Amino acid sequence: MYSASALSDLSGAAAILVNAGKITAQKADLIIQSASTQKISFIDQIIAEKVIAAGDLAHTLANTLALPLLDLSALDPASLPKDIIDPKLVSQYQVIVLAKRGNRLTLAGADPTDLNALERIKFASQLTPEWVVVEHDKLNTLLASSFGLKNKQSKQTESETKPDTTEDTGASFFSQSNNQNKNSKGGEVEDAPVVRFLQKMLSDAINMGASDLHLEPYETLYRVRFRVDGELREISQPPT
C-alpha cells in the first residue's frame, strides 16, 4: 500500500495525473526517479514509458489547470515568431512561442506545471508568459522539423547508437541576422495579422471556457472550432 504522505510529496504534472486517476502514486514516484536518473523531464519519461498517451496527457493537464489546448498539427510553422526568446531556452524547456502581444508572451508547451521554465523565460524576455497546452509528440515533431531541435530523450537514444558529436542544432535556424534585427522586427512580429488573429482566438477560447481548439485546414477553406461543454462549435473561417 502506498502511503498518503508519499502522495502529498508529489507536485506538478505528477500530482495532477495521480489525482485524476491516470497513474498511481507509486508509479509516479518510479517515473520521477527514472527521469532524474536519465536527466530528462517527468513528461519526457512518462511518454517514453508509454504509461499515458500524449493526447490524454495534454487533455488532463489542460482541463485540470483550465488552460487552452491547441492542436499543433494544424498550425503553420512559418507563421510563428522565431526570435523572441533565446533558442537555448526553446531547446531546454521544449516550448514554442505562439504570439507576442504587448508585454504578454503566449507559449506552447507540454508541461504547464514547469514553473522553472516560466520564471526563466519571464526573466530572459522581460515578458509575462501564458501557457497553451499542446501534445508532447506533436510539439517534438514541430521542434525537430522546423527548429532543428530534439528533446533529451531523443538525443539520449541517438547517443546509444551514434558516436558523440558536438553540434548546436538550433544555430542554423536562429541566424545571426535574425538576432541583429530583433529590435527592428519586434513591432512587425507583434502586429502581424496572424499574431493578432491567434491572440484573439486564444482569448476567445479562454473566455468561452473551451477545452479544445481545433484548427482544420481544407482544400478551399480553413475552419476554427472550439469544444465548449463537450460540443464542437465553429467559431470562424479565416482566409487561407
Side-chain angles (χ1 to χ4, degrees):
M1 185 71 180
Y2 211 68
S3 66
S5 60
L7 175 57
S8 65
D9 290 337
L10 296 174
S11 62
I16 290 175
L17 293 175
V18 171
N19 289 330
K22 299 297 181 179
I23 57 174
T24 65
Q26 183 177 18
K27 183 60 177 178
D29 188 56
L30 291 174
I31 293 171
I32 291 171
Q33 292 178 34
S34 297
S36 177
T37 299
Q38 299 188 54
K39 297 181 179 180
I40 61 176
S41 71
F42 173 82
I43 297 294
D44 281 336
Q45 185 64 31
I46 198 171
I47 292 295
E49 293 188 17
K50 299 181 180 179
V51 175
I52 183 172
D56 193 8
L57 171 63
H59 276 82
T60 301
L61 294 176
N63 289 338
T64 301
L65 299 172
L67 292 173
L69 178 66
L70 178 65
D71 183 2
L72 283 179
S73 63
L75 194 65
D76 179 9
S79 69
L80 299 173
K82 302 173 181 67
D83 57 354
I84 305 297
I85 61 176
D86 193 304
K88 292 180 180 179
L89 294 179
V90 172
S91 177
Q92 180 178 358
Y93 295 112
Q94 299 293 297
V95 296
I96 289 176
V97 176
L98 295 177
K100 173 183 175 291
R101 189 67 178 171
N103 68 339
R104 297 191 177 277
L105 191 66
T106 305
L107 291 176
D111 185 6
T113 68
D114 190 344
L115 299 181
N116 187 42
L118 209 64
E119 289 304 315
R120 283 287 305 279
I121 293 172
K122 181 178 181 180
F123 177 80
S125 66
Q126 295 299 297
L127 299 169
T128 302
E130 297 178 337
W131 283 115
V132 171
V133 182
V134 294
E135 295 176 36
H136 180 274
D137 52 351
K138 293 178 181 179
L139 174 63
N140 285 331
T141 297
L142 182 57
L143 285 169
S145 62
S146 298
F147 293 80
L149 302 175
K150 298 179 181 179
N151 64 16
K152 293 181 180 178
Q153 180 68 27
S154 298
K155 292 178 181 177
Q156 182 178 5
T157 301
E158 287 189 356
S159 68
E160 295 173 354
T161 57
K162 295 182 180 180
D164 181 46
T165 59
T166 302
E167 180 181 2
D168 182 1
T169 55
S172 61
F173 187 85
F174 294 91
S175 63
Q176 292 181 353
S177 60
N178 279 344
N179 291 331
Q180 291 170 351
N181 295 327
K182 181 177 181 180
N183 292 334
S184 63
K185 292 184 179 180
E188 295 178 11
V189 172
E190 181 177 332
D191 293 328
V194 67
V195 174
R196 293 198 302 271
F197 171 76
L198 181 59
Q199 192 71 23
K200 183 179 184 305
M201 180 185 67
L202 294 173
S203 177
D204 290 345
I206 293 172
N207 292 335
M208 294 174 64
S211 60
D212 299 49
L213 284 71
H214 292 255
L215 286 73
E216 303 170 349
Y218 296 94
E219 185 175 353
T220 59
L221 61 89
Y222 199 98
R223 184 170 67 175
V224 177
R225 295 196 294 171
F226 296 168
R227 187 182 300 278
V228 180
D229 297 329
E231 177 186 353
L232 278 173
R233 304 180 185 179
E234 183 172 325
I235 302 303
S236 66
Q237 291 188 12
T240 56

